[in-house]
Amino acid sequence: MENQRLYRAEDFTVELDVEEYIARFRDAERVGGYCRACHNYGRSWGCPPFDFDVEEQLRRYRRALIVATRITPAVEGLPFSRSGELLLPERRRLEGRLLEMEHRYGGRAYSYVGTCLYCPSESCTRLQGLPCRHPDKVRPSLEACGFDIGRTTEELFGLPLKWSRDGVMPEYLILVCGFLHNAESVEWVKRDGDE
């Protein structure tokens, strides 16, 4: 089954001041605790602890473009084990677009938690204490920087997070990313059918 037939993806965007996003949605201690409990903590260059000051990096920028991508399976009852078939193509599309925006506007992209797209599993150079092989591509997630993604999707987009039950995919999945910048305006080109 081709990806286009397996799911429908829609991008939703909100732009707000970085200071407002930090004040309303960042809970670095609580969310950081989830990161510290994760098996990827300290094992991937996209995961904390970071070799930069997160607070300082966030506050370099005035504006935040937050993007929520709702991915709706084409059929009900898909096994959750197939979620990668829906998420991976969208991650690649979104991460590519975010990096293009960095080059165009000079801001900073914040992408996704989980497996890095650029190195095979368990081959991150961080495990050997070496620099990242792809520093031009690897970006931390908003979660890794202390942002509450559940509150973000609910309050900014009206999209509560959904969870798998009994090994079955929920009615939709959500990917959340961000682009922080100092430009007067940025453009997130939506696809046909996006709201």
Side-chain angles (χ1 to χ4, degrees), residues 16-26 55-56 58-64 147 180:
L16 66 163
D17 288 337
V18 167
E19 290 298 328
E20 179 184 354
Y21 190 53
I22 290 170
R24 287 179 59 193
F25 299 100
R26 188 162 187 253
E55 186 84 18
E56 181 182 306
L58 295 172
R59 293 186 187 279
R60 288 182 190 164
Y61 304 104
R62 291 187 334 256
R63 301 289 293 162
F147 288 99
L180 276 56

Side-chain angles (χ1 to χ4, degrees), residues 11 13 67 91-103 109 179 187-191 194:
D11 293 342
T13 61
V67 181
R91 275 192 60 189
R92 285 185 175 133
R93 176 184 69 85
L94 294 165
E95 288 188 26
R97 184 176 289 177
L98 288 167
L99 292 173
E100 288 172 14
M101 291 181 76
E102 273 190 13
H103 294 293
F179 180 69
E187 181 180 14
W188 182 267
V189 179
K190 295 185 180 187
R191 299 176 298 188
D194 287 350

